[in-house]
Amino acid sequence: MARIAFILLCHKDPEAIIDQARRLTRAGDYIAIHFDARGGREAFEAIRKGLANNPNVTFATKRIKCGWGEWSLVQATLHAIEAAERDFPRATHFYMMSGDCMSVKTAEYMHDYLDREECDYIESFDFFDSDWIKTGIREERLIYRHWFNERRHKWLFYQSFRMQRALGLARGIPADLQVMIGSQWWCLRRRTIEDILAFIRERRDVMRFFRTTWIPDETFFQTLVRHLVPEREIRSRTLTFLMFTDYGMPVVFYNDHYDLLLAQDYLFARKISPDAKELKKRLGDLFAATGVEFRISNEGRSLFRFLTGRGRVGRRFAQRFWETESSLGRDRELLMIVCKKWHVAKRLVSQIRSHTDIPCVEYLFNEENTPLPDLGGIEKSLEKRTRHRRAWVRMLFDYFDTDRMVVCIDPGGIDLIRDFYSDRSGTRLLDIDCEFSDAYLIGHARRTGLAGDTTPQSALERLLPTIRSDINSESDTIRDAEFEHCYRISESNAPEENARPLARFLGISEDEAREIASMHYLFSD
């Protein structure tokens, strides 16, 4: 009977890792864990302590710091494989997974599934002839050396790339290898794993080559398996169900995806939302069950393409209406706070949160790192948030399960404000009138890159009138638009004077509004 050694790469949430390891080893399988060295010693020790009495758990021979697209991900995998191959001689299969993966079948079903065929499951398509790479650099991943991380050191990454190309420093691919590409989530037989470990000990030239390729976790194992294993023993597919949005981000699964996931012809699914606690519990209970029959319909990808292609209403997936004519919802109310001094608006928002139950989101169209919930990746880019603004805000309404929500917008976003006012939803606007000292404007110029620490005072004095004029112009544009349900509070007013428009904006009593407006440092710089 198949016995699986799970190869787990993870970097956070020690409690979830402990639960995952206990669940996966409950039916006699094994797990080898590589916990990213960036995750901290304390978290790693908590995992070791939590699993100390489990003989079916081992840890990678070495912990390293991992970065997306780097060789470090492959090296971490190899360290975990070495530990699993050494400590679990009865393991027949090695299954690569991450902390975001969960089983969608029983352990009994998995063992039977792997016993059906003597083969390896790994996507492996020809690197040059297939269309697996949709965007970005292609051949350049291999023929140039990549020493820098594209996400952390973008400038160095591309400068190095351009320099090599300009100097004609392209290198050859090892002559006996046909480079393949595919998903990094695979399941390999023990014999294949042993052949890979032997190969990398002998072929240092291949190791040197892959160490400086870009995104090698999509090519290293895929190429070696195809090189070492007869084609008839390879199934070019992954056993982990995953889908990507049209932005190239992984689709995230939530509580109401349970039935859909069980119906797919896969053993695991990725990515499960950290907030999908009910889904995690149900899948965890399922793994240890016996005698369960699964009706495989495998409609997941086609259903997702259909729904995302047409727009949708329903709860199986979060609602997405990318078209510009879409609505936030006729019965919903968007409350926009407009203020050039972001810290003032954020303080007001903190007061609103503490005195009401209205969800509040800060400068979601202006700040890349504003705190936002995980909504499948669209939240990670300002460009995406702005381009599909109504869809994005509607997803937030759905996430918070509310019909009223406060958002902060910079006065320069007049087009955003007009767009939301043209929606069928209810819309209100609170314009915060602030005073701008020369010292504040100088700080603003430095924060926005208009000036630096060494900019002469004479240059700053010439710049200040222009900045002040721009700020006044933004404020005048909003006032001239004469938006309905527009209210205004001012730094020059007493809290009692600001309470009335604030109460009407939020739909609360004036006493409650007075408490919110009475923050003594609300307008302080």
Side-chain angles (χ1 to χ4, degrees):
M1 185 183 76
R3 298 286 292 273
I4 306 169
F6 295 102
I7 307 300
L8 174 63
L9 264 57
C10 49
H11 65 281
K12 61 181 180 180
D13 202 349
E15 290 186 8
I17 294 168
I18 293 170
D19 290 342
Q20 189 177 34
R22 288 172 177 167
R23 180 175 62 254
L24 292 176
T25 57
R26 195 181 305 165
D29 294 306
Y30 313 99
I31 189 167
I33 300 171
H34 179 277
F35 186 73
D36 196 324
R38 298 182 193 277
R41 185 73 186 176
E42 185 177 342
F44 178 62
E45 290 302 325
I47 297 170
R48 289 186 69 100
K49 183 178 179 181
L51 298 171
N53 297 324
N54 191 328
N56 287 15
V57 175
T58 192
F59 293 89
T61 54
K62 184 179 179 181
R63 288 178 64 214
I64 61 174
K65 294 180 180 179
C66 297
W68 184 87
E70 293 180 6
W71 170 256
S72 56
L73 287 174
V74 176
Q75 188 63 71
T77 305
L78 289 172
H79 287 321
I81 288 173
E82 289 167 349
E85 192 268 343
R86 177 196 65 201
D87 294 342
F88 305 132
R90 297 180 61 191
T92 62
H93 293 76
F94 292 69
Y95 196 116
M96 177 71 181
M97 61 186 301
S98 76
D100 294 323
C101 297
M102 278 204 73
S103 56
V104 293
K105 300 292 187 293
T106 63
E108 179 183 63
Y109 181 95
M110 289 186 191
H111 296 152
D112 291 342
Y113 190 100
L114 296 177
D115 281 335
R116 292 175 198 169
E117 289 190 90
E118 182 63 23
C119 62
D120 297 306
Y121 295 91
I122 182 169
E123 280 189 350
S124 56
F125 305 100
D126 186 275
F127 185 91
F128 296 99
D129 293 339
S130 71
D131 63 347
W132 204 86
I133 299 174
K134 303 298 184 185
T135 60
I137 62 176
R138 188 185 184 93
E139 181 184 27
E140 295 83 357
R141 290 190 185 191
L142 306 177
I143 64 174
Y144 297 115
R145 295 166 178 83
H146 301 280
W147 294 287
F148 304 102
N149 185 284
E150 193 267 349
R151 292 189 173 179
R152 294 200 306 272
H153 307 292
K154 188 178 290 289
W155 186 85
L156 288 172
F157 179 92
Y158 286 105
Q159 283 297 104
S160 170
F161 165 52
R162 294 186 187 107
M163 186 177 297
Q164 291 179 73
R165 185 168 58 183
L167 296 175
L169 298 179
R171 61 178 173 176
I173 297 168
D176 61 332
L177 290 186
Q178 178 187 7
V179 178
M180 309 299 286
I181 190 168
S183 168
Q184 63 269 54
W185 313 112
W186 41 253
C187 179
L188 304 177
R189 295 167 296 172
R190 183 179 197 90
R191 184 178 67 194
T192 304
I193 288 294
E194 291 171 347
D195 288 346
I196 289 173
L197 294 178
F199 181 87
I200 65 178
R201 286 192 292 267
E202 296 170 5
R203 294 293 301 273
R204 295 300 178 186
D205 60 318
V206 173
M207 295 295 282
R208 284 194 299 271
F209 171 76
F210 276 106
R211 282 181 188 278
T212 51
T213 59
W214 180 233
I215 320 182
D217 54 321
E218 294 179 350
T219 56
F220 179 77
F221 291 100
Q222 295 77 0
T223 300
L224 265 57
V225 170
R226 184 67 67 167
H227 183 74
L228 297 169
V229 177
E231 184 175 358
R232 65 179 181 276
E233 297 180 17
I234 300 173
R235 301 295 174 266
S236 188
R237 59 159 299 186
T238 174
L239 295 179
T240 298
F241 181 60
L242 66 160
M243 297 188 295
F244 291 90
T245 68
D246 45 2
Y247 296 107
M249 301 300 295
V251 172
V252 179
F253 298 110
Y254 296 92
N255 290 335
D256 54 352
H257 290 127
Y258 179 80
D259 293 328
L260 179 141
L261 292 177
L262 266 58
Q264 307 312 306
D265 185 21
Y266 295 86
L267 306 184
F268 280 78
R270 183 179 189 276
K271 285 184 163 184
I272 307 298
S273 169
D275 297 322
K277 299 187 186 305
E278 179 186 345
L279 176 62
K280 287 185 174 184
K281 183 181 185 307
R282 294 180 73 185
L283 291 177
D285 293 341
L286 174 72
F287 185 73
T290 58
V292 179
E293 293 187 7
F294 295 92
R295 301 184 65 178
I296 305 300
S297 57
N298 224 27
E299 86 291 358
R301 287 193 173 88
S302 58
L303 178 63
F304 182 76
R305 283 194 299 269
F306 172 77
L307 292 175
T308 54
R310 296 171 62 92
R312 57 181 175 264
V313 178
R315 300 196 61 181
R316 172 165 288 240
F317 296 88
Q319 294 168 338
R320 291 172 57 187
F321 293 86
W322 293 153
E323 295 77 19
T324 55
E325 67 270 21
S326 64
S327 174
L328 303 183
R330 189 182 301 276
D331 297 323
R332 285 172 168 167
E333 195 168 43
L334 184 66
L335 311 178
M336 293 182 284
I337 295 177
V338 179
C339 184
K340 195 66 180 179
K341 287 188 175 180
W342 293 4
H343 61 279
V344 174
K346 290 179 181 181
R347 288 172 187 161
L348 183 64
V349 160
S350 71
Q351 287 286 90
I352 294 172
R353 284 196 186 106
S354 61
H355 288 82
T356 74
D357 59 356
I358 305 173
C360 302
V361 183
E362 295 172 0
Y363 286 87
L364 69 167
F365 298 111
N366 306 102
E367 277 191 309
E368 191 90 46
N369 297 322
T370 195
L372 294 169
D374 181 358
L375 292 173
I378 191 175
E379 78 280 358
K380 299 182 185 302
S381 165
L382 279 176
E383 180 185 356
K384 291 176 186 176
R385 296 180 212 163
T386 305
R387 189 181 352 154
H388 302 304
R389 61 196 68 162
R390 295 197 200 179
W392 166 231
V393 173
R394 180 161 189 155
M395 289 169 75
L396 288 173
F397 271 111
D398 290 341
Y399 177 86
F400 291 118
D401 194 21
T402 184
D403 290 325
R404 303 180 74 224
M405 183 169 64
V406 170
V407 300
C408 298
I409 297 179
D410 186 273
I414 185 66
D415 290 338
L416 286 168
I417 299 170
R418 287 192 175 114
D419 188 38
F420 286 124
Y421 258 95
S422 67
D423 191 79
R424 290 179 297 176
S425 63
T427 313
R428 299 187 191 186
L429 187 143
L430 180 69
D431 185 13
I432 303 180
D433 182 28
C434 298
E435 297 173 4
F436 299 92
S437 66
D438 286 352
Y440 176 84
L441 294 180
I442 291 172
H444 174 76
R446 287 174 174 153
R447 286 189 296 273
T448 57
L450 295 174
D453 293 335
T454 58
T455 302
Q457 184 64 30
S458 57
L460 287 172
E461 290 173 357
R462 291 194 298 271
L463 187 61
L464 288 184
T466 302
I467 298 174
R468 191 182 297 279
S469 175
D470 284 347
I471 291 175
N472 290 337
S473 175
E474 291 175 351
S475 179
D476 290 340
T477 300
I478 290 174
R479 296 188 185 198
D480 293 342
E482 298 182 343
F483 293 116
E484 281 189 295
H485 308 298
C486 180
Y487 308 96
R488 186 166 288 107
I489 64 174
S490 174
E491 183 175 354
S492 60
N493 291 346
E496 292 74 18
E497 295 175 272
N498 286 331
R500 178 172 293 180
L502 183 60
R504 296 178 67 188
F505 170 71
L506 293 174
I508 59 177
S509 69
E510 285 194 29
D511 288 340
E512 290 173 300
R514 191 176 301 109
E515 288 186 35
I516 293 173
S518 295
M519 175 186 273
H520 67 278
Y521 59 91
L522 178 61
F523 292 97
S524 299
D525 291 330

